[in-house]
Amino acid sequence: MARELDWQVSGDEGRRTLAVAGVVDRAHTPRLAEQLLALLPGHGARLTLDLSQVEALDGSAVALLVHAWRESTRSGGQLVIGAASEAARRSLTLYRTREDPPAPPPPPGFLEGLGDLALSLPVAARDLAQLAADTTFALGRALGRPTRRRLGAAIEQAYHIGYRALPIVALICFLVGLTLAFQSAYQLQQFGAAIFVANLTAISVIREMGPLMTAILVAGRSGSAIAAEVATMKVAEEVDALQVMGLDAIEYLAVPRLLAILVTVPVLTVGADLVGVLGGFIVGTFYLDISPIAYLNQTLDSLGPKDLLTGLTKSVVFAWGIGLIGLYYGFRVRGGAAEVGRMTTASVVAAIFFIIVADCLFSVLFYIVL
């Protein structure tokens, strides 16, 4: 026969013990609540609950204990569980609740963020170099062994990266060529040298603006897509599934995307160069009243093989960097959907930063060499 609820208080004012015995269920919880809340410890006080003689403890009793613990914590006191019977331990485990989540740590300051960046850069550079080596080796191996090529996947990626990007690339580069011609005409007309608008526009577009604008647009459109696709596969454990099936994730996922972007970006750059020069041609013929033949002859005379080589070399390096950066951020993702978005954004920022830095270095190099 179950014992009736009973309790006994012992100890002095600051260190009391409440020994509870019998059955503590919904019918008896209100009686215990009156006694427990009356003994609730205040600032610096401590109340120990002895549950060694408890025969049963239901959910209402556990809720009472949790409420009392939170109230004592807010008032600066301590409510702790001492000895407990098997029935009491089982109920406390079954209805266990966690403490209120701690407040998030304050965001790192400028110096802390700078230190974290300095510590993480060598590791990130090592991982990126490892991925670059593995991907480039796998690409060369796939090109040398036709049986290892995934031409279908590469063609599909080329369609999305190149063909579907052609309208926006053509429109932006046409407007850039138009703007360059207008700005150069504003200055050159003052010296009676409007014909040289053709020279300035053609060289600026083919050596600089065509490859640069194409790479930035591809980085924002296709580099982010590569990072998001691979990151989603990583989160969904599809990359792990490929490894379990004995497939190389680098060869299966990275090679088709890198091959497609290496092929399509130079082609897009050539198209961007043509429409950029076309924008300057429209300004020269309709605004500056230069004859079409004279404008075209001036354009052709100003260009040489080194100008085309400069733009195409830049486009290949830009494509290689965009593809590798997108793959790097895709493969390093950890966590859920929020992390996928964060890594996608980081890949775009890193790719554009790489493009600007590489373009600056190429400009210095080609100025010295060519």
Side-chain angles (χ1 to χ4, degrees):
M1 182 177 179
R3 294 169 55 186
E4 289 292 328
L5 175 64
D6 189 20
W7 61 78
Q8 183 178 359
V9 181
S10 60
D12 55 11
E13 183 68 22
R15 295 290 185 270
R16 288 180 175 175
T17 299
L18 177 62
V20 183
V23 176
V24 188
D25 56 13
R26 186 174 56 182
H28 298 94
T29 297
R31 292 177 54 209
L32 179 61
E34 295 178 2
Q35 181 66 31
L36 182 58
L37 295 178
L39 297 172
L40 205 61
H43 182 70
R46 178 188 178 96
L47 176 63
T48 302
L49 289 177
D50 183 358
L51 306 179
S52 60
Q53 301 300 318
V54 171
E55 298 179 5
L57 195 72
D58 68 357
S60 63
V62 175
L64 170 63
L65 297 180
V66 171
H67 173 70
W69 173 79
R70 287 177 175 170
E71 290 297 323
S72 64
T73 302
R74 290 192 186 99
S75 61
Q78 285 185 304
L79 178 64
V80 297
I81 304 294
S85 64
E86 182 64 28
R89 283 198 302 269
R90 191 164 51 244
S91 296
L92 290 172
T93 303
L94 182 63
Y95 294 100
R96 177 166 38 184
T97 60
R98 297 181 179 178
E99 301 180 13
D100 295 334
F110 174 75
L111 293 180
E112 293 177 352
L114 198 61
D116 291 340
L117 179 63
L119 291 175
S120 62
L121 277 179
V123 178
R126 182 199 62 194
D127 294 342
L128 180 60
Q130 182 67 48
L131 177 64
D134 293 342
T135 306
T136 305
F137 176 76
L139 177 61
R141 185 172 55 185
L143 293 176
R145 298 174 61 181
T147 57
R148 305 185 71 93
R149 299 178 195 164
R150 298 185 62 235
L151 289 180
I155 292 172
E156 181 182 0
Q157 292 295 325
Y159 171 78
H160 291 292
I161 295 172
Y163 178 76
R164 296 188 65 178
L166 185 59
I168 186 64
V169 170
L171 175 61
I172 295 298
C173 291
F174 173 78
L175 295 177
V176 168
L178 207 71
T179 304
L180 282 173
F182 270 119
Q183 296 299 326
S184 58
Y186 178 77
Q187 294 294 325
L188 293 175
Q189 274 186 314
Q190 301 179 31
F191 303 96
I195 188 64
F196 291 103
V197 169
N199 302 55
L200 193 149
T201 303
I203 293 175
S204 298
V205 168
I206 290 179
R207 295 190 63 154
E208 185 66 28
M209 299 308 297
L212 183 64
M213 296 306 300
T214 301
I216 290 176
L217 290 171
V218 170
R221 184 184 179 279
S222 302
S224 60
I226 292 174
E229 289 173 1
V230 176
T232 303
M233 293 179 184
K234 186 76 173 178
V235 170
E237 299 182 350
E238 295 180 22
V239 176
D240 297 333
L242 290 175
Q243 295 175 347
V244 170
M245 291 187 292
L247 298 175
D248 185 3
I250 297 295
E251 185 173 320
Y252 193 86
L253 298 176
V255 168
R257 289 166 171 80
L258 189 60
L259 177 61
I261 201 169
L262 284 172
V263 171
T264 56
V265 170
V267 176
L268 283 174
T269 301
V270 172
D273 294 341
L274 292 176
V275 295
V277 172
L278 176 63
F281 174 80
I282 291 175
V283 173
T285 55
F286 290 96
Y287 177 71
L288 301 177
D289 294 327
I290 302 174
S291 68
I293 299 299
Y295 190 95
L296 290 176
N297 289 335
Q298 191 72 18
T299 299
L300 294 175
D301 290 341
S302 65
L303 296 174
K306 66 178 182 179
D307 301 310
L308 299 175
L309 179 63
T310 297
L312 290 178
T313 302
K314 286 183 178 181
S315 67
V316 172
V317 175
F318 292 163
W320 182 79
I322 293 168
L324 285 180
I325 290 172
L327 292 168
Y328 168 74
Y329 280 97
F331 279 119
R332 71 174 294 189
V333 70
R334 299 290 186 276
E339 191 70 8
V340 173
R342 192 178 72 84
M343 286 298 177
T344 302
T345 303
S347 71
V348 175
V349 175
I352 294 177
F353 178 78
F354 165 79
I355 291 167
I356 300 299
V357 172
D359 184 67
C360 179
L361 295 177
F362 272 123
S363 298
V364 175
L365 177 64
F366 289 143
Y367 179 80
I368 296 174
V369 175
L370 301 179

